[in-house]
Every structure is written in structure tokens, then in C-alpha cells.
Amino acid sequence: MDTMTIIWIIVAIVVVLAVAALLIAASRKRNERRHREADSIRAKAQEQTSVVEKREALAEETAANARKAQAEAEAKAAEAKRLQVDAQTHQNTATTSRDDLKQEWKRADELDPEVKATGAASNDARTTDARTTDARAADARTTDGGPANARTDGTSSTNTHGAHAKPTDTSAT
């Protein structure tokens, strides 16, 4: 081997080593830059973590408030339903009582000889009370959506006397 060949081999080895060293240095530099970039992204993500946790807490609190409001609304609806049933029961009882009272008035009118002779009812207060009761019954029908004077046996009656009608003696004694 001559010296020139040895020199070219040594130069080639040095060039290959220099290129390898440059490639290794460039790779390390690139890795270092990527590591810094990753650290920067992690720092930003850490900052966003607290914001996201606050948003999650707010979302959970809002959902809890919504559930509470829904439960309150359901309780109010149940109470309203119960009160409607109570009101309907009271209305039915009042209507039945009114019908019974009407029968009593009718029976009294049938027994009273003066009413039979004149053909007029013995108590004018009944007709005044009837108008008041009819207005209340109409109001109850429009509010509840059902007949205010419906009986539980499926029949209905009309209110012709007021709920507070009391027999009064208007005849001179």
C-alpha cells in the first residue's frame, strides 16, 4: 500500500467521523429543542388544568342546582296535584250538601201552605245566593277544567242555591 492510499483512507475515515459527529450533534440539538418544546406544552397544560377544574366544579354545582330545582318543582307539582284533588273533593262535598239543602228547601216549600197558594218561594235569599254560587261554580269549572258540580256517581247537578244560604223568615208573624 502506498502512502497516498493510506492518506486517502485516513482522510475518508476522518470525513466519515466528522459527518457522524455533525449528525450526532444535530440529533442531540433537535432532541433538546423538542424536549424544551414538550416542557413548554406541559407548562401550558398545567396552567389550563386549574381552569378546567374550575369549569368542572362550576358544571357540577350547576347540575346539582338543576337537580335541586327539579326536585323542588316535582314536589310543588305533587303538592298542586294534591291540592287540586282536595279542592275537587271539597267541591263535590259542597255540591252534594247544596243538593241536599235544595231538597230541604223544596220539601219545606212543598209543606208550606202559603208557598202552595202563591206559587212563590218563601225565601228570596235563596235566589240571590244561587247567583253567587253559580258564579263560583263557573269559576271552578274554568280553573279546574272539569265540572265543578260532578258527583262521584257520574251524575251532575246544578247549583241553584249559594254555599252560605241560611233559611230566613221573611214573612210577618
Side-chain angles (χ1 to χ4, degrees):
M1 263 201 199
D2 65 14
T3 54
M4 204 51 176
T5 310
I6 293 178
I7 291 177
W8 279 112
I9 291 176
I10 292 175
V11 169
I13 291 175
V14 169
V15 169
V16 169
L17 288 177
V19 169
L22 285 175
L23 288 176
I24 290 173
S27 175
R28 284 185 183 166
K29 205 172 213 181
R30 189 185 71 187
N31 285 344
E32 186 178 312
R33 183 179 41 84
R34 290 178 119 194
H35 180 68
R36 281 193 311 261
E37 187 179 341
D39 283 346
S40 174
I41 292 171
R42 284 187 188 100
K44 288 178 184 176
Q46 183 63 34
E47 290 173 9
Q48 291 296 320
T49 299
S50 63
V51 172
V52 169
E53 287 172 351
K54 286 178 184 177
R55 286 182 182 158
E56 287 173 339
L58 179 62
E60 289 174 12
E61 181 181 349
T62 304
N65 288 340
R67 287 189 300 272
K68 180 181 175 186
Q70 181 68 32
E72 289 173 358
E74 289 171 359
K76 292 279 187 186
E79 178 67 10
K81 182 80 169 168
R82 186 189 64 78
L83 289 173
Q84 285 176 341
V85 169
D86 287 352
Q88 186 63 42
T89 301
H90 292 308
Q91 183 64 41
N92 290 343
T93 302
T95 300
T96 302
S97 297
R98 174 59 50 211
D99 291 342
D100 292 344
L101 185 60
K102 180 180 175 183
Q103 290 300 323
E104 287 298 310
W105 281 108
K106 185 176 178 181
R107 197 176 91 175
D109 288 346
E110 289 172 357
L111 290 175
D112 191 351
E114 287 183 22
V115 172
K116 288 181 183 176
T118 62
S122 64
N123 190 346
D124 291 337
R126 289 185 287 169
T127 57
T128 304
D129 287 342
R131 281 184 243 121
T132 306
T133 301
D134 288 343
R136 278 192 220 123
D139 183 46
R141 283 190 294 271
T142 58
T143 336
D144 187 29
N149 55 359
R151 292 184 180 170
T152 54
D153 64 357
T155 61
S156 66
S157 65
T158 56
N159 293 331
T160 57
H161 301 294
H164 301 292
K166 295 181 182 174
T168 57
D169 188 11
T170 58
S171 62
T173 52

